[in-house]
Amino acid sequence: MKRLALSDEILLTIEKPARYIGNEINSIQKEKKDVNIRFVMCFPDVYEIGMSHLGIQILYDMFNKMEDVWCERVYSPWPDLHKILKEKKIPLFALESQDAVRGFDFLGITLQYEMCYTNILQILDLAQIPLLAKDRTNEDPFVIGGGPCAYNPEPLADFFDLFYIGEGETSYDALFDIYKEWKSSGRCRDEFLRQAAKVPGIYAPSLYQVKYHTDGTISSFAPIEEGIPEKIEKQVVLELSEAVYPEKPLVPFLQATQDRVVLEIQRGCIRGCRFCQAGMIYRPTREKEAEVLKKYASLMLKNTGYDEISLSSLSSSDYSNLKELVTYLIDEFQEKGVNISLPSLRIDAFSLDVMEKVQDIKKSSLTFAPEAGSQRLRDVINKGLTKEVILEGAGQAFAGGWQKVKLYFMLGLPTEEEADRCAIAELANQIAACYYDIPKEIRNGKCQITISTSFFVPKPFTPFQWASMHKEEDYLHFAKTVNEAVKNQLNRKSIRYNWHEADVTVLEGVFARGDRRLSKVILRAYEKGCIFDAWSDFFDNEAWKQAFCETGIDPEFYTVRKRSLDEIFPWDFIDAGVTKEFLKREYENALAQKVTNNCRMKCSGCGAGKYQGGVCVENSN
């Protein structure tokens, strides 16, 4: 039996000790003497959140299928354990072996959300690894980041040795081969970084120099020596059906945020919403074959004991074989008590027909994301939804027995005006009216429409990467406008309204489009005690404001400032597949309220056709 890194005495004093003991179903144990590389995978948030992350499950499975690699896991300790580890100087440990993280070869950190950035420093600090990459020696692990936030890694540049740009299934073999040769050679740490930087998709920030104009914008970004690539090209798995996927996913001891079998049915999205980073960086859209998915569904349910299976994609309605797959899952598993979850469906007759098949007579709530209240603004963001389609879909849902609808919108979108905000309440009122048009004797109780608004954050590699943000007080005013408009609606008693925190949005916007000068702000905020910023109970906006002030950084430079179309962005050294020319064209189409067809209707020439795969190539002519 393995020795736990924490004593029973400590485990009895902390909340949810099961977060730290490992030994979950399907976790992997190996003999240290049998492997050349020890890799610890980190999700910089609490265990229950990190265990829900599909990307870590995939890489954990892939690495552990390599004979000479042992991949383990670590998550952010909750503040109670954080305090104990600091006071008792206990180094942060991996779950599988309970060995100190600082003794591993690689520490891989998933960059899923900007508000987890201080938790990255928490991990390094508790692991007793120097926070700044320049201070590490050959005795320290190489810290490598990946995930969607790695498409602008610059705010974290000082803390990471390497970043992996793109999908992790492609380049790790080459990176590990270089590492094994370097490790046996005894050469200096920088020499490994130089060799690693030549692997496709790998970015070593210390090997690049940034220069700035007097106005603070970037004047140049270039390698510091010959042989280091000027552009880092994202890595793409083209044959998704053949890609590695866990047949035995990890099963947490505690209930995770998504406690179910997850079937990834496709990557990418054909829709081209102009605010959506995922829809751009995961191009081209690639589907998994239905037969492969059926096999994985059976194996994963058998190997986990779960009673729910969820289909994962950015837009499940667009998966070509959705009806065939759902029919199979119903016929094969529903009588065995397995629930089927279908997130990311569009509001149309086909989707409602599919949902009708998988939901019982009780009918849980439906979730739709119109994103904008007015048709004008939906055209600006290229949502591809008309009011007629929305109301028709809602009417069909109500007629089918649903009575609860959740609606998601954004506030602060480019070109947005007060009328667009009021239109959110008006659309909700019209949806409620669809319900009350049904004869009273066949209604299923009272209708409940829940509106939720988040505040728009421009992201890299989207057409809106040039767009300005607003100030915190402006966002609060926008939410108040919607709230007042709801009160004026005829069906107001059937409508509830919730909105996101404005201060968190502003900070997210700073780091989404920030440069490497922000590393010192993140470090200062961590020194002031900022961790778990994604959790409203812990977020300390005043501490962040002080961190900006003390480091001499103006956050409004990254948010409200207008950007020219020819400005060099911190992420321009990355080739994400979509070209800057395409993004400019789409930004201009947005300002002209011009809709762009989806990828199956007509190729828009985004640049992803160069990968020679996915739906864009099939329809490029």
Side-chain angles (χ1 to χ4, degrees):
M1 185 174 178
K2 72 177 181 182
R3 177 184 58 82
L4 290 177
L6 301 178
S7 67
D8 290 345
E9 180 184 355
I10 292 175
L11 288 170
L12 288 171
T13 63
I14 59 176
E15 183 182 344
K16 299 182 181 178
R19 291 167 170 161
Y20 312 108
I21 61 176
N23 277 334
E24 302 100 326
I25 293 172
N26 297 328
S27 64
I28 304 295
Q29 294 289 339
K30 291 189 178 184
E31 291 290 338
K32 299 174 197 176
K33 62 181 176 61
D34 295 336
V35 298
N36 290 318
I37 294 175
R38 296 190 67 189
F39 194 112
V40 59
M41 186 72 67
C42 168
F43 193 95
D45 207 327
V46 73
Y47 175 89
E48 296 93 311
I49 303 291
M51 281 293 285
S52 300
H53 186 250
L54 178 60
I56 283 185
Q57 292 266 14
I58 292 173
L59 292 180
Y60 183 84
D61 181 74
M62 181 182 81
F63 288 154
N64 280 316
K65 283 176 177 171
M66 301 176 183
E67 286 189 6
D68 60 349
V69 178
W70 184 13
C71 181
E72 304 184 42
R73 294 161 296 128
V74 66
Y75 305 98
S76 286
W78 200 239
D80 55 356
L81 182 58
H82 175 113
K83 184 172 183 287
I84 292 171
L85 295 179
K86 287 288 283 185
E87 289 176 351
K88 296 184 177 295
K89 296 183 171 54
I90 300 171
L92 186 64
F93 51 90
L95 294 189
E96 280 76 3
S97 66
Q98 300 278 302
D99 288 344
V101 166
R102 68 186 181 197
F104 282 67
D105 299 290
F106 289 92
L107 169 58
I109 302 179
T110 294
L111 309 176
Q112 195 68 24
Y113 180 36
E114 292 86 354
M115 300 312 295
C116 290
Y117 284 0
T118 52
N119 276 49
I120 293 167
L121 298 194
Q122 178 208 29
I123 294 290
L124 296 172
D125 184 21
L126 295 180
Q128 301 173 11
I129 297 169
L131 300 184
L132 299 176
K134 66 181 179 62
D135 295 333
R136 294 175 197 141
T137 70
N138 281 19
E139 303 305 310
D140 297 304
F142 287 95
V143 181
I144 181 168
C149 290
Y151 281 87
N152 178 22
E154 289 302 277
L156 297 168
D158 288 354
F159 312 122
F160 280 80
D161 300 294
L162 301 168
F163 291 94
Y164 187 114
I165 312 299
E167 296 168 356
E169 295 97 329
T170 64
S171 289
Y172 270 109
D173 278 332
L175 183 67
F176 288 164
D177 286 344
I178 290 170
Y179 177 77
K180 284 182 285 187
E181 192 277 328
W182 170 84
K183 190 177 181 180
S184 63
S185 73
R187 294 194 297 270
C188 69
R189 191 176 181 90
D190 286 347
E191 184 57 33
F192 171 71
L193 296 179
R194 289 189 187 93
Q195 295 302 314
K198 298 172 185 177
V199 175
I202 300 295
Y203 166 54
S206 63
L207 301 180
Y208 294 77
Q209 183 179 40
V210 190
K211 295 181 180 179
Y212 301 91
H213 294 296
T214 54
D215 66 357
T217 58
I218 295 173
S219 62
S220 67
F221 185 103
I224 61 174
E225 58 187 61
E226 293 289 326
I228 306 300
E230 292 185 4
K231 279 270 188 182
I232 311 296
E233 186 169 349
K234 79 166 181 183
Q235 298 304 288
V236 177
V237 178
L238 289 176
E239 298 300 330
L240 207 57
S241 297
E242 300 170 11
V244 65
Y245 201 75
E247 296 176 2
K248 296 181 176 181
L250 290 152
V251 181
F253 282 135
L254 302 170
Q255 184 171 2
T257 307
Q258 296 183 28
D259 213 15
R260 58 185 74 100
V261 162
V262 178
L263 267 188
E264 183 187 33
I265 60 176
Q266 63 182 11
R267 285 185 194 170
C269 180
I270 65 171
R271 295 291 163 178
C273 296
R274 292 170 180 141
F275 59 84
C276 181
Q277 185 187 49
M280 297 293 166
I281 63 175
Y282 293 122
R283 292 186 176 206
T285 302
R286 292 143 290 151
E287 297 186 339
K288 275 188 182 173
E289 295 171 6
E291 292 305 314
V292 171
L293 292 167
K294 292 173 188 177
K295 180 192 79 170
Y296 275 115
S298 298
L299 287 170
M300 294 168 78
L301 287 169
K302 175 185 174 183
N303 291 327
T304 61
Y306 279 128
D307 60 2
E308 184 172 348
I309 189 163
S310 176
L311 305 188
S312 172
S313 80
L314 294 174
S315 180
S316 299
S317 303
D318 295 320
Y319 176 61
S320 299
N321 297 310
L322 183 63
K323 200 162 190 175
E324 175 191 344
L325 179 61
V326 169
T327 300
Y328 169 82
L329 295 176
I330 291 169
D331 293 345
E332 191 73 15
F333 302 116
Q334 205 164 49
E335 284 190 5
K336 300 174 184 176
V338 175
N339 294 321
I340 301 163
S341 173
L342 293 166
S344 306
L345 289 175
R346 292 174 68 81
I347 182 167
D348 55 28
F350 168 70
S351 299
L352 290 167
D353 179 57
V354 171
M355 282 185 280
E356 180 76 35
K357 287 180 166 61
V358 301
Q359 294 203 4
D360 61 25
I361 196 68
K362 226 172 141 183
K363 306 288 186 189
S364 60
S365 64
L366 288 175
T367 300
F368 301 130
E371 309 292 3
S374 69
Q375 191 59 51
R376 184 198 73 81
L377 198 53
R378 284 193 293 276
D379 290 345
V380 167
I381 65 176
N382 206 48
K383 182 61 184 177
L385 268 181
T386 65
K387 183 173 76 171
E388 291 72 27
V389 168
I390 294 170
L391 295 180
E392 183 180 349
Q396 290 174 342
F398 292 141
W402 279 278
Q403 68 187 89
K404 296 179 181 179
V405 175
K406 295 178 182 177
L407 300 171
Y408 287 96
F409 298 90
M410 285 183 287
L411 292 173
L413 287 160
T415 80
E416 181 182 288
E417 299 171 353
E418 187 155 329
D420 301 306
R421 295 187 275 276
C422 292
I424 292 173
E426 292 161 7
L427 181 61
N429 182 66
Q430 290 172 310
I431 290 172
C434 291
Y435 183 79
Y436 293 114
D437 285 342
I438 299 171
K440 190 172 184 178
E441 60 272 16
I442 60 173
R443 289 182 206 155
N444 191 20
K446 186 181 177 183
C447 169
Q448 182 180 303
I449 310 294
T450 301
I451 302 171
S452 293
T453 59
S454 61
F455 299 114
F456 165 68
V457 175
K459 298 282 185 170
F461 297 107
T462 68
F464 288 154
Q465 63 182 359
W466 289 276
S468 297
M469 289 182 67
H470 299 274
K471 297 183 179 181
E472 181 182 332
E473 57 266 29
D474 295 327
Y475 289 122
L476 295 174
H477 171 71
F478 299 162
K480 184 179 179 181
T481 299
V482 177
N483 197 41
E484 291 301 314
V486 168
K487 294 177 182 177
N488 294 326
Q489 300 305 313
L490 181 65
N491 295 303
R492 58 187 174 275
K493 291 184 179 179
S494 297
I495 303 172
R496 294 193 308 186
Y497 175 46
N498 309 307
W499 62 90
H500 190 58
E501 300 96 333
D503 48 8
V504 173
T505 296
V506 171
L507 192 58
E508 181 186 342
V510 169
F511 293 122
R513 293 187 294 178
D515 52 50
R516 61 174 61 184
R517 292 173 293 192
L518 288 171
S519 290
K520 59 184 178 182
V521 181
I522 298 170
L523 178 57
R524 191 74 192 99
Y526 178 69
E527 291 169 345
K528 288 180 169 293
C530 292
I531 55 171
F532 288 103
D533 297 301
W535 296 70
S536 56
D537 290 349
F538 295 103
F539 180 66
D540 187 344
N541 197 35
E542 283 306 310
W544 275 103
K545 288 179 178 179
Q546 291 171 19
F548 279 103
C549 183
E550 292 171 14
T551 53
I553 301 289
D554 180 7
E556 291 191 359
F557 176 81
Y558 303 98
T559 54
V560 300
R561 178 177 63 87
K562 293 186 182 297
R563 291 158 172 77
S564 66
L565 287 176
D566 60 355
E567 179 175 330
I568 297 174
F569 289 140
W571 53 89
D572 277 349
F573 69 94
I574 296 173
D575 178 357
V578 292
T579 65
K580 203 168 185 180
E581 290 69 30
F582 164 74
L583 296 174
K584 285 179 183 177
R585 192 163 68 244
E586 278 297 278
Y587 185 45
E588 290 162 350
N589 284 342
L591 299 179
Q593 300 169 38
K594 185 178 177 182
V595 173
T596 299
N597 289 322
N598 72 59
C599 298
R600 281 204 174 97
M601 293 174 67
K602 182 181 179 183
C603 179
S604 56
C606 72
K610 71 178 182 179
Y611 296 109
Q612 295 298 300
V615 301
C616 63
V617 173
E618 296 169 15
N619 295 277
S620 60
N621 51 7

